[in-house]
C-alpha cells in the first residue's frame, strides 16, 4: 500500500469510491439509496473534495492498493471556533472503498492522522460520525476515540456525534 498527497487527478476516483462508501454506511443505517445518491449531493461532493485537495489549510491523502485508489483521508484545523487549532486537529473524513474494507486501509490512514497529531505537537483529535454508522463508530472506538458529548443534526433525523482522541 502507498499513501500519498491527493491531487486533482485523483478527484474522480475519490468521488466514485466515496459514493460507494456512502451507499454502504448510510444504507446500513436505513437511508434509501435515492436519498444518498442525488445529482445535487454528487455535485456538492465533487466540489467539496476539489476544495479540500486545493486548500492550503487542509490535507488530503489517498491510499493506493495494487495501483488503484483505495481510500482517502482529509484532516486539518477544527471546524468549531470553540477549539484551538494550536492544540487540536480534526479528522474530517476517512473513506475506504467498500470492496477493500477489512484490509487495513482505514487503519493505515488513521495512523497517518495520529502521526499528524504527534508531528504537529497537538494534544487532541476530533471528528464527527453519523450515529447509525456502527461500523465507523466501532472502528474509531477500537482506535481510542471516545464520545465527547457533542452532536449536530444529520440525515434521517439521526445526529452526527462528536468523538475525540487524546494524544499523549
Amino acid at each position: 500500500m502507498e499513501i500519498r498527497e491527493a491531487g486533482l487527478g485523483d478527484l474522480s476516483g475519490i468521488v466514485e469510491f466515496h459514493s460507494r462508501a456512502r451507499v454502504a454506511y448510510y444504507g446500513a443505517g436505513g437511508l434509501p439509496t435515492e436519498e444518498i445518491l442525488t445529482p445535487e449531493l454528487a455535485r456538492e461532493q465533487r466540489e467539496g473534495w476539489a476544495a479540500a485537495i486545493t486548500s492550503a489549510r487542509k490535507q488530503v491523502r489517498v491510499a493506493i492498493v495494487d495501483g488503484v485508489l483505495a481510500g482517502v483521508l482529509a484532516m486539518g484545523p477544527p471546524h468549531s471556533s470553540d477549539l484551538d487549532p494550536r492544540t487540536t486537529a480534526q479528522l474530517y473524513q476517512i473513506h475506504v472503498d467498500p470492496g477493500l474494507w477489512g484490509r487495513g486501509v482505514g487503519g493505515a490512514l488513521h495512523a497517518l492522522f495520529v502521526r499528524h497529531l504527534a508531528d504537529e505537537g497537538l494534544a487532541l483529535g476530533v471528528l464527527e460520525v453519523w450515529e447509525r454508522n456502527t461500523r465507523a463508530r466501532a472502528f474509531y472506538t477500537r482506535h481510542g476515540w471516545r464520545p465527547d458529548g457533542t452532536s449536530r443534526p444529520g440525515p434521517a433525523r439521526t445526529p452526527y456525534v462528536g468523538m475525540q482522541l487524546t494524544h499523549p
Side-chain angles (χ1 to χ4, degrees):
M1 177 183 338
E2 170 195 356
I3 297 178
R4 63 168 171 74
E5 185 173 347
L8 288 176
D10 299 314
L11 185 58
S12 291
I14 291 170
V15 170
E16 285 177 25
F17 73 73
H18 182 198
S19 293
R20 287 192 300 273
R22 286 174 51 88
V23 167
Y25 65 78
Y26 281 126
L31 203 60
T33 301
E34 58 272 11
E35 290 183 33
I36 303 166
L37 298 179
T38 67
E40 180 180 316
L41 288 174
R43 180 182 46 75
E44 289 174 6
Q45 184 180 17
R46 186 171 191 83
E47 290 171 359
W49 280 113
I53 290 168
T54 58
S55 171
R57 298 183 59 211
K58 298 178 181 179
Q59 297 182 42
V60 180
R61 303 291 184 265
V62 290
I64 313 295
V65 174
D66 298 329
V68 177
L69 285 176
V72 64
L73 160 69
M75 60 186 169
H79 287 308
S80 172
S81 60
D82 294 338
L83 297 170
D84 185 347
R86 294 171 299 178
T87 60
T88 306
Q90 183 154 348
L91 193 163
Y92 304 128
Q93 301 183 62
I94 289 180
H95 295 289
V96 175
D97 190 312
L100 297 172
W101 284 356
R103 293 188 47 196
V105 177
L109 291 168
H110 181 268
L112 185 60
F113 176 77
V114 173
R115 192 169 31 238
H116 171 72
L117 292 176
D119 291 349
E120 298 298 319
L122 303 172
L124 185 66
V126 296
L127 62 78
E128 292 180 329
V129 60
W130 192 47
E131 188 175 64
R132 291 187 197 173
N133 189 346
T134 56
R135 183 182 185 91
R137 289 176 53 216
F139 171 87
Y140 291 122
T141 299
R142 280 193 312 274
H143 285 88
W145 294 80
R146 299 293 173 251
D148 66 8
T150 63
S151 67
R152 68 177 174 89
R157 294 191 294 254
T158 303
Y160 291 100
V161 295
M163 298 183 83
Q164 65 181 20
L165 176 70
T166 304
H167 190 270

